[in-house]
Each structure stands twice: as structure tokens, then as C-alpha cells.
Amino acid sequence: MTSATMRAIALRAHGGIDQLKLETWDVPVAEMGQALIEVKACGLNYMDVFVMRGMPDMPTKMPRIPGGDIAGIVRAVGEGVDKAWVGKPVVLFPRFPTGGVLGENGNGGLCEYIAADHRQLIEIPAGVSFDDAAALPIAYGTSHRMLFTRGNIKAGEKVLILGASGGVGVSCLQFAKMAGCEVFACTSSEAKGAKLKALGADHIINYVEQPEFSRAVWTASGKKGVDVAVNFTGGDTWIQTQRCMATGGRILTCGSTAGHMSMIDVRFLWHRETEIIGSRAYVPEDIVACLEHVASGRLKPAVETRLPLEQAARGVALLEDRQIFGKVIVVP
């Protein structure tokens, strides 16, 4: 029997971390086609910073509970949902069947219970913890699709990763090493570089010390360039990324955290026969694959910080200030 109320971290207005407040909400009810999940872990993403601050072209309806990566236990189901789900450990596919994302276009997982469409339920296999499961959907799911489905990376290829110390960057590094690639990781500090090295990065490029990172990459690659570059930074990094490419290389992108508008040098595009490949995000099969990698021991999600629900705002602040390596997990 669940309580009638629950704790939740909610936004009622856009702004800074002071807008993320601990509140008491009614426990949702599993309506037709839904399941009620007791949240055991919620992974934070930079999306939560955007939701908090507000995006001019993406208004968020208030009040809103953030958090898009959710793992927990099914406690009840509504009409039309197989009762066999009750008691099962699940991770939620972050995208609503009707469009939009958990924590942005509907309430997310910074709370004790959430009602979700049964089509979003993905069973967690034996041997995978709630923390690890909650680290996977958005960051690891995005990286899996970008590298394997869209990018078709292969063993022996040289792979450059910009922004390598964030959630998507770290997961790209882990997948590239899992595939047998040589990895060139760009980051902003010696401390983050050491952590990336510990995860298997073959070359560390500190773009604060070396703003022209393309020179360092070119030298480290034996002046041959990289086969694959992962650039979800955007902004003014594109031309430098083009300079890093070997002939016939592929630039993969799934975002533009530093700005949507980027300059491209067309000479590099045709002279080195570079492909630019976009990757929209993830599909359920990517998350299932990630779970299987963890269950088999091939992958261990990089969870650096674990916080109780009442300290969720601190986790969002760490993301916004780029002070985090890998994933932040909030536990109700």
C-alpha cells in the first residue's frame, strides 16, 4: 500500500537552482494503459539545466518535476496493462509515445512515484542495479545509437571525442573502447583528463591549455587524422574538427551545446571526403542493448555522484558548472 503523498523536487518558475524546491505532491494514480513506478534512482542530464533555466523556443509547462532517466519498481498497473509487470524492476524509455520527453514535456523522476505509459517500460535484467540502469537511457542510449547505428564505428579506428568528460562524452569513450578503437579525448582540465585516461582514453587533449585542439589531435594521430569525430558541442568547434579528419572520415553529431550555428570550411569537406552524420537520439533497442552490455559485464556506467532527493539541486548545479564527470544519480 503506497502513501497518499510523496516528496518531489519541482519547478514553478524558470530560473536558478533556488527554483528547484522540495515539495509534497499527491502520489499519481495508474490510469488506463499506465503503470505506477516507485522511483529508486533518477539520472540527471544537461537537459535538466535547460528545463530549469528555460529555453526561448521550448516553453515548459509549470509546475514541472524534472528528471528524464528513471529506474524503479512497478507497484501497480491500470486497466489494460498486464499485471505481470507488478513487482518488476524497470527503466523508463524517456520519450512519451505521443511525443516529448520525461522531465520536460511531462513530469520526470525527481520524486518518489511516477505514473508512466506501459509502452515506456523496459525490464531491467538481473545483475543491473537501479543506479546503473538510471545512468543509461539518455546519455548512453544516445551514444549507442550515434556510434553504432549511425556511425558504424569499427575496431582499430581512431575516434575523437569533444566534451569527453560529460555524460554523453564519457559513454562515447566507453563504447569506443569496447569496440576496440583508439580514442582521442578532449577535456578542460588535468583532473578530468586523468579520469578519462583511467577509463581507457589513449590520448588526452586539454583544450584550455591548447585552444587549437586540432593541432594536438593531428600530431597525436601521426599526422594522419582521425577516422571518426564526435562533436555535440557545435559553436565554433566545427572547422577545427574538420581539420582533425583523415580522408574519408565521419563527423558524428547529436547536439550543439555551445551554439546551434556553426561555420563549416567546405574545402575540408570535399578535399578529405568527410561525411557529416546526424543522430537524433535513441530508440528502445538502444537502451535494451545498453542494459545487456551492463548485465554481461562489458560496460560499467560512470556514476560519479550519488545524491539524496533533497540535494537534487546540487546535482543540477554541478552539471551547469561543468564540475561533474560522468553521471549524477539522485535517489529518493
Side-chain angles (χ1 to χ4, degrees):
M1 188 76 177
T2 61
S3 170
T5 60
M6 67 176 183
R7 297 178 307 144
I9 296 291
L11 284 166
R12 293 189 178 272
H14 292 303
I17 60 169
D18 58 306
Q19 295 296 332
L20 291 164
K21 301 183 186 298
L22 183 64
E23 298 183 355
T24 298
W25 283 46
D26 290 337
V27 171
V29 175
E31 304 287 354
M32 181 180 291
Q34 290 186 323
L36 178 68
I37 296 95
E38 181 183 358
V39 179
K40 292 295 186 181
C42 180
L44 298 181
N45 296 278
Y46 208 82
M47 177 191 78
D48 298 305
V49 176
F50 291 142
V51 170
M52 177 184 73
R53 290 292 179 184
M55 299 289 283
D57 55 343
M58 297 179 69
T60 300
K61 184 179 179 180
M62 299 293 179
R64 175 66 70 237
I65 299 172
D69 284 336
I70 303 162
I73 301 173
V74 177
R75 293 304 187 195
V77 295
E79 186 179 343
V81 182
D82 189 345
K83 288 182 172 55
W85 277 110
V86 177
K88 287 188 176 182
V90 296
V91 64
L92 296 184
F93 182 64
R95 294 189 175 276
F96 295 108
T98 54
V101 184
L102 285 163
E104 181 178 17
N105 309 102
N107 287 329
L110 291 183
C111 55
E112 294 177 313
Y113 292 91
I114 183 171
D117 191 294
H118 75 283
R119 290 170 289 181
Q120 293 175 270
L121 301 177
I122 299 173
E123 186 170 0
I124 299 173
V128 179
S129 70
F130 289 116
D131 284 11
D132 284 350
L136 296 175
I138 293 176
Y140 283 83
T142 295
S143 299
H144 187 274
R145 178 171 172 78
M146 177 167 54
L147 294 183
F148 295 110
T149 306
R150 300 288 295 150
N152 194 29
I153 62 170
K154 304 177 186 67
E157 289 189 312
K158 293 178 171 62
V159 178
L160 167 66
I161 304 169
L162 275 66
S165 58
V168 173
V170 167
S171 55
C172 282
L173 162 61
Q174 291 181 283
F175 281 136
K177 293 306 297 181
M178 193 175 77
C181 299
E182 180 181 352
V183 174
F184 300 69
C186 285
T187 190
S188 60
S189 72
E190 185 177 335
K192 290 179 180 178
K195 292 179 181 179
L196 291 166
K197 198 80 171 176
L199 277 179
D202 300 282
H203 310 275
I204 303 297
I205 296 92
N206 185 326
Y207 60 79
V208 174
E209 295 178 353
Q210 298 173 294
E212 289 193 48
F213 64 84
S214 58
R215 293 181 181 271
V217 173
W218 190 255
T219 299
S221 69
K223 298 186 177 180
K224 294 181 179 179
V226 299
D227 304 292
V228 177
V230 176
N231 185 330
F232 49 83
T233 304
D236 60 1
T237 63
W238 270 88
I239 292 177
Q240 282 213 65
T241 301
Q242 289 183 274
R243 289 176 177 152
C244 297
M245 304 309 297
T247 300
R250 310 177 309 279
I251 300 176
L252 313 180
T253 183
C254 65
S256 48
T257 56
H260 303 319
M261 303 303 293
S262 299
M263 296 288 289
I264 290 178
D265 190 325
V266 178
R267 294 172 300 174
F268 286 104
L269 199 61
W270 60 258
H271 184 67
R272 296 189 186 173
E273 297 186 332
T274 307
E275 291 183 75
I276 297 176
I277 302 172
S279 185
R280 187 172 179 181
Y282 43 80
V283 295
E285 289 76 13
D286 293 304
I287 297 170
V288 170
C290 291
L291 288 165
E292 290 173 351
H293 288 317
V294 176
S296 69
R298 292 189 297 270
L299 175 68
K300 176 61 179 173
V303 176
E304 183 180 65
T305 302
R306 191 175 190 266
L307 299 169
L309 183 64
E310 58 270 20
Q311 293 183 29
R314 179 184 159 207
V316 177
L318 289 170
L319 286 171
E320 184 171 36
D321 296 339
R322 309 289 185 181
Q323 297 299 309
I324 200 67
F325 180 90
K327 296 295 295 183
V328 178
I329 300 296
V330 174
V331 181

